[in-house]
Each structure stands twice: as structure tokens, then as C-alpha cells.
């Protein structure tokens, strides 16, 4: 039985989830891929931080050490922010590794060039976890791309924003109080700017646009608003009329063939597929040429939802190395 060595970049919430699943699902993964996946190295920023034990695994703060692991075949990336994540993945691909990432900020910008590089050196890129955490939206669109066609996408792509809007509507509490509770429950970051300004949803929408339409709209021309622009009175008034505000990221091709995208609060009625999505869930309504509108719903974040789709991506790449490359 061949062994493929894997490295995890970042050992926080998602990185630890990957480590646990690869170990807990060892036999299943071996059966499904025909290879034994061994986590051989972990990259962190601070070696002094207390962490769960990882016996026999090299834990380092130097990326160079990762690339010297013999027979390294897969690199999971779960660090935060655009750089150095993008450069690390570029170097891993150049070294002949498959890469799997959860990093939407980096992938929205660097996804196309990483995929092009991977095509050149004949490795694969998995990025299911970059959009809507554990919801299999990338796989679904990749399948639709085979013979159907995506004509439009509307998504609730930020669980924190949806949680806050739900709480404002159901409990008539202020934006500030709802945000405070989201932070206490661990849904929102200590700095929630990317969530409540709409930027997090924007990055995810750009990834979905590249996958569905082979291109992204001009970033500067996409109107982007967060839920921080809504007042409690507006949310309550809408509810009294049987309507709901949802923070919706939308992209579609107009009749002139141009991509149109927007990110912001939208007032919708009970007929809309995203009307009933409450709390921290994410949901994506995918409009298609042949199958009408398909809506996928589920946990948009969290250790295991996110890590499990990353391990699935790795298993797909080991089975069908070039399966995830065709996005244009
Ligand atoms: N958490 C979720 O539910 C979720 C869902 C979907 C996508 N994501 C994405 O997944 C990624 C990881 O999120 P997370 O929640 O796991 O973050 P996290 O808990 O903050 O962990 C980040 C890890 O990355 C390490 N790190 C950060 N910068 C580094 C650098 N320059 N070099 C080496 N290591 C570095 C940190 O090292 P130290 O421990 O030494 O500080 C830490 O172990 C992010 O891109 C996030 O957007 C997360």
C-alpha cells in the first residue's frame, strides 16, 4: 500500500479538525483512495503555544521544513489572510503537491493563478471549504459544469450576518446586542469587520463566479454593503409585512453577456428560496439551465464541517487528480 505524506499549514480550528479526521477516518480513506494518508508535518506561527499532541509529526514554524518532507504529496492550508498563504501554496504546487485550502480571502484573488500553475505541473487544487464551509456548493457547481449550466447564484454566505439578522428579527434586539452575542458564541471574530461589512461574502461570491462563469466581475464595480447598514426599525417593519432582510451575494450574466454582481441586504418574500434560512446556516440557490433552482443549505463554518470537506477534497484529488481543475 502506497503512503502519501501530507502537511497541514496552520493548526488552529480548521487545521486540528483536518488532523483529527485524517486519523479517525484512516481506514475509510485508505479504502476510498487506495493510499495511506499520513500527516507528516504541521506549520504554525508560534511554537510556544500549547497544542494537542501530534506524536511523530514534525511541528515547525519554518515553511522550508515542510517542503523538505520526503514524498510530500498533499498540503492542506488553514492559515489566515492572503499572504504568506498564497505564496506557500504556489511553492507547494511547484514542488508537485496537491493543495487543499479553506482560505477565501487568498483564493478569491489567487485562485485562478494557482489553478493555472497546478494544471501546468499536473497536480490538483481543492477549495470546497473556501465557500460556505461544510456545504458542498463547489462540488455541486463542478458537477453542473459538466453538462448543465449555471445561470445565476444567490447565496447567504456569511453565517455571522445571518445570525445577527435572525436575532434582530425574532427578538427585536439591536445590531450591537446581536453582534455581541455572536461573538460570545464564537460565531463572529473578535474583529467582525469582514463579516458585517460584506467583504467575507464578497470573497466567496468571487470564487463562485470564477467557477460558474469562468471569470469574476470587476471588483471595483460590485456594490458591496454589510448588514451594519440596516436599522432594527427596518427589520421589524419588513417582518410585519411578511418580508425578511437577507444578506445576499448575487452574481449572474445579463442579456449583454456582462457579469452583474452585488452583495448586501435584500428584502425578500416567502417565495424566495433563501427566506427560511435562519441562524448561522449558509445557503446557496443555484439557478441552472436544465434543473431549475437548486438550493444547498448547511453549516457555513466550524471545525468539523470545514475540515471534513477539505479531507474529502484530498481524497478526490488522490483518486482523480485533475477532476477539480476545469473551471473555465
Ligand atoms: N474556522 C472556521 O470555521 C472556518 C470556516 C471556513 C474557512 N475558514 C478559513 O480557514 C482558515 C483557518 O481558519 P481557523 O479558524 O482555523 O483559524 P485559526 O484558528 O486562527 O488558526 C490559524 C492557524 O494558522 C497559523 N498561522 C497563521 N498565520 C501563519 C503564518 N504566517 N505562518 C504559519 N502559521 C500561521 C496559526 O498559528 P499559531 O497557532 O501559531 O498562531 C494558527 O495555528 C482561514 O483562512 C479561515 O478563513 C475557517
Amino acid at each position: 500500500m502506497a503512503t502519501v505524506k501530507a502537511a497541514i499549514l496552520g493548526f488552529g480550528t480548521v487545521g486540528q479538525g483536518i488532523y483529527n479526521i485524517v486519523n479517525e477516518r484512516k481506514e475509510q480513506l485508505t479504502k476510498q483512495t487506495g493510499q495511506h494518508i499520513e500527516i507528516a508535518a504541521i506549520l504554525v506561527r508560534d511554537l510556544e503555544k500549547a497544542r494537542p499532541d501530534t506524536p511523530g509529526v514534525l511541528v515547525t514554524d519554518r515553511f522550508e521544513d515542510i517542503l523538505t518532507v520526503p514524498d510530500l504529496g498533499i498540503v492542506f492550508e488553514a492559515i489566515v489572510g492572503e499572504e504568506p498563504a498564497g505564496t506557500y501554496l504556489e511553492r507547494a504546487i511547484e514542488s508537485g503537491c496537491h493543495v487543499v485550502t479553506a482560505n477565501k480571502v487568498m483564493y478569491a484573488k489567487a485562485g485562478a493563478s494557482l489553478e493555472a500553475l497546478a494544471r501546468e505541473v499536473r497536480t490538483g487544487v481543492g477549495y470546497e471549504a473556501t465557500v460556505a464551509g461544510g456545504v458542498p456548493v463547489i462540488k455541486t457547481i463542478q458537477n453542473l459544469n459538466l453538462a448543465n449550466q449555471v445561470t445565476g447564484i444567490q447565496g447567504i454566505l456569511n453565517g455571522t450576518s445571518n445570525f445577527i439578522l435572525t436575532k434582530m428579527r425574532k427578538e427585536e434586539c439591536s445590531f450591537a446586542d446581536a453582534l455581541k452575542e455572536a461573538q460570545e458564541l464564537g460565531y463572529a471574530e473578535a474583529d467582525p469587520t469582514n463579516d458585517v461589512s460584506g467583504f467575507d461574502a464578497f470573497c466567496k461570491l468571487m470564487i463562485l463566479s470564477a467557477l460558474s462563469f469562468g471569470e469574476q466581475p470587476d471588483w471595483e464595480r460590485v456594490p458591496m454593503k454589510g448588514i451594519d447598514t440596516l436599522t432594527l426599525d427596518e427589520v421589524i417593519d419588513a417582518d410585519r409585512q411578511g418580508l425578511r432582510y437577507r444578506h445576499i451575494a448575487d452574481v449572474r450574466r445579463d442579456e449583454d453577456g456582462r457579469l452583474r454582481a452585488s452583495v448586501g441586504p435584500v428584502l425578500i418574500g416567502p417565495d424566495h428560496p433563501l427566506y427560511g434560512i435562519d441562524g448561522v446556516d449558509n445557503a446557496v440557490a443555484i439557478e441552472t439551465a436544465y434543473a431549475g433552482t437548486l438550493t444547498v443549505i448547511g453549516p457555513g463554518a466550524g471545525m468539523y464541517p470545514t475540515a471534513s470537506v477539505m479531507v474529502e477534497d484530498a481524497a478526490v484529488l488522490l483518486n482523480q487528480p485533475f477532476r477539480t481543475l476545469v473551471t473555465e
Side-chain angles (χ1 to χ4, degrees):
M1 175 79 57
T3 293
V4 55
K5 300 255 175 83
I8 304 175
L9 313 184
F11 205 56
T13 306
V14 176
Q16 289 176 32
I18 295 167
Y19 178 84
N20 293 345
I21 292 173
V22 168
N23 285 303
E24 285 164 18
R25 296 286 161 166
K26 202 170 274 193
E27 281 171 25
Q28 184 179 349
L29 286 165
T30 305
K31 202 166 144 196
Q32 293 295 341
T33 64
Q35 295 173 69
H36 170 64
I37 305 175
E38 178 193 326
I39 305 291
I42 291 171
L43 180 76
V44 295
R45 191 172 31 190
D46 177 3
L47 281 172
E48 301 302 315
K49 219 186 236 184
R51 300 180 196 278
D53 264 358
T54 52
V57 178
L58 168 73
V59 180
T60 178
D61 60 356
R62 286 168 27 99
F63 181 68
E64 301 307 321
D65 295 343
I66 300 289
L67 292 182
T68 59
V69 170
D71 303 321
L72 187 68
I74 299 175
V75 172
F76 293 99
E77 188 266 312
I79 64 180
V80 182
E82 225 176 297
E83 284 296 344
T87 304
Y88 288 169
L89 289 192
E90 201 178 292
R91 296 195 50 204
I93 294 169
E94 282 165 353
S95 306
C97 294
H98 296 311
V99 299
V100 176
T101 181
N103 187 333
K104 57 244 158 182
V105 179
M106 177 278 298
Y107 207 75
K109 269 199 188 162
S113 61
L114 290 176
E115 287 177 39
L117 182 62
R119 259 195 301 273
E120 248 173 63
V121 302
R122 297 179 71 75
T123 68
V125 179
Y127 59 99
E128 180 68 70
T130 60
V131 181
V135 184
V137 60
I138 302 288
K139 286 183 197 78
T140 303
I141 296 175
Q142 282 168 336
N143 256 17
L144 291 166
N145 281 347
L146 295 173
N148 202 329
Q149 186 190 358
V150 174
T151 54
I153 290 176
Q154 291 197 310
I156 292 177
L157 300 177
N158 185 268
T160 306
S161 295
N162 205 48
F163 174 84
I164 292 171
L165 282 182
T166 305
K167 212 163 162 58
M168 287 169 76
R169 187 187 86 244
K170 285 190 169 170
E171 297 176 25
E172 302 198 354
C173 76
S174 69
F175 170 80
D177 286 347
L179 173 59
K180 194 162 162 267
E181 184 168 340
Q183 284 171 315
E184 282 163 6
L185 291 169
Y187 299 146
E189 304 286 331
D191 177 0
T193 314
N194 280 355
D195 291 326
V196 299
S197 70
F199 183 66
D200 176 80
F202 170 87
C203 290
K204 294 165 178 169
L205 186 70
M206 294 303 105
I207 294 170
L208 293 182
S209 175
L211 175 62
S212 305
F213 301 107
E215 59 176 325
Q216 297 180 352
D218 180 351
W219 283 28
E220 301 303 318
R221 298 175 79 113
V222 179
M224 181 181 86
K225 273 191 189 172
I227 53 161
D228 51 358
T229 56
L230 279 178
T231 65
L232 179 59
D233 283 346
E234 287 172 311
V235 173
I236 294 171
D237 275 356
D239 192 37
R240 290 194 181 128
Q241 296 171 56
L243 303 172
R244 289 179 186 169
Y245 278 102
R246 294 295 187 205
H247 189 259
I248 294 182
D250 183 309
V251 64
R252 60 197 60 254
R253 243 187 230 296
D254 68 16
E255 281 162 9
D256 303 332
R258 268 181 313 197
L259 278 183
R260 295 259 177 230
S262 61
V263 176
V266 178
L267 201 52
I268 58 174
D271 293 343
H272 194 285
L274 303 180
Y275 183 81
I277 313 301
D278 272 344
V280 282
D281 270 353
N282 281 196
V284 188
I286 308 163
E287 296 153 35
T288 72
Y290 292 129
T293 299
L294 313 172
T295 306
V296 279
I297 305 164
M303 176 187 272
Y304 285 107
T306 309
S308 63
V309 299
M310 294 181 76
V311 178
E312 288 163 15
D313 271 353
V316 169
L317 289 169
L318 288 176
N319 274 333
Q320 300 168 277
F322 313 115
R323 167 73 174 79
T324 56
L325 293 182
V326 185
T327 59
E328 51 192 59

